[in-house]
Amino acid sequence: LMIDELPTLVLLLARQDPGGARVRAFLQWFRNLRQLPRGAEHLRFVLAGSIGLDNVTRRHRLTDTINDLRDWRLGPFTRENADRFLAELARGHQLELGPELRAAICDHAEWLIPYHLQVIFSALRELCGPRTPPSPALLDRAIEALLSRKAYFGYWDERLHDAFGAPDDERARAILATCA
């Protein structure tokens, strides 16, 4: 069973009960479910989330409820897989996207995760039309349009608070600002 964004659910439970009893009860119930003999033989759980359940449970001192889980990070695409991903996106949308333009999208994305590639592809596609094929100039316009939309990046800023809480979220911002 794949459960996406479980850390977000845990954060919501923690906000509803600052004492932590509700989130502890939920995580303990879920741990017990995972460890039932018949369940352990027949079920595998894949827990996904952009924050990381380990960060959330550490913050709320609940790591004992997940110490039976194995950490498995997917990471970004390789450059080759990102290229194939973009080629398939283009094919699915009947858009001619040559190798040079796919490489340029990857260069702009830097971190080759599907979300970033899809956002850039979508912004480029919005600028294309029946008589306006994708081009490096249109890609540059698409990137500028994306950078002007703060909503895409505000989400990541909010996630720093969700993942780390105060004051660690401010420390993370200071580190990111220095790196940038």
Side-chain angles (χ1 to χ4, degrees), residues 11 15 50-51 59 111 115-116 149-177:
L11 283 171
R15 283 188 195 125
S50 53
I51 298 175
R59 180 174 162 199
W111 191 29
Y115 176 76
H116 291 165
R149 293 182 201 162
K150 301 294 183 195
Y152 281 121
F153 304 106
Y155 167 79
W156 293 102
D157 181 65
E158 292 168 12
R159 295 308 282 261
L160 289 174
H161 177 73
D162 290 345
F164 301 115
D168 293 334
D169 61 333
E170 290 303 322
R171 290 184 186 121
R173 282 184 192 85
I175 290 168
L176 290 169

Side-chain angles (χ1 to χ4, degrees), residues 3-110:
I3 303 172
D4 194 13
E5 297 299 348
L6 183 66
T8 302
L9 172 66
V10 171
L11 283 171
L12 291 172
L13 290 173
R15 283 188 195 125
Q16 291 174 355
D17 176 24
R22 188 170 182 196
V23 71
R24 175 167 287 284
F26 170 74
L27 287 172
Q28 193 60 51
W29 168 83
F30 188 48
R31 177 187 168 88
N32 293 341
L33 178 68
R34 292 190 308 269
Q35 294 181 339
L36 287 173
R38 290 192 56 172
E41 292 172 15
H42 301 288
L43 291 176
R44 295 292 180 261
F45 290 93
V46 177
L47 308 178
S50 53
I51 298 175
L53 189 57
D54 55 337
N55 289 328
V56 174
T57 55
R58 190 175 317 110
R59 180 174 162 199
H60 294 282
R61 300 178 187 269
L62 298 166
T63 55
D64 60 308
T65 62
I66 65 161
N67 62 7
D68 61 308
L69 299 175
R70 283 186 282 160
D71 191 27
W72 180 40
R73 301 195 184 267
L74 292 176
F77 283 147
T78 63
R79 189 82 177 198
E80 179 182 293
N81 285 341
D83 182 74
R84 285 201 317 255
F85 178 76
L86 288 168
E88 284 300 313
L89 269 178
R91 189 179 64 74
H93 289 277
Q94 288 107 28
L95 193 67
E96 184 60 42
L97 195 65
E100 299 82 18
L101 209 46
R102 294 193 308 266
I105 290 172
C106 290
D107 290 342
H108 282 290
E110 292 182 19

Side-chain angles (χ1 to χ4, degrees), residues 109-179:
E110 292 182 19
W111 191 29
L112 303 178
I113 63 172
Y115 176 76
H116 291 165
L117 297 170
Q118 286 174 305
V119 165
I120 294 171
F121 176 84
S122 179
L124 175 61
R125 201 173 122 241
E126 285 176 14
L127 296 175
C128 294
R131 295 184 181 145
T132 312
S135 67
L138 276 185
L139 177 59
D140 289 342
R141 281 184 41 207
I143 295 297
E144 289 302 316
L146 286 172
L147 291 175
S148 70
R149 293 182 201 162
K150 301 294 183 195
Y152 281 121
F153 304 106
Y155 167 79
W156 293 102
D157 181 65
E158 292 168 12
R159 295 308 282 261
L160 289 174
H161 177 73
D162 290 345
F164 301 115
D168 293 334
D169 61 333
E170 290 303 322
R171 290 184 186 121
R173 282 184 192 85
I175 290 168
L176 290 169
T178 300
C179 291

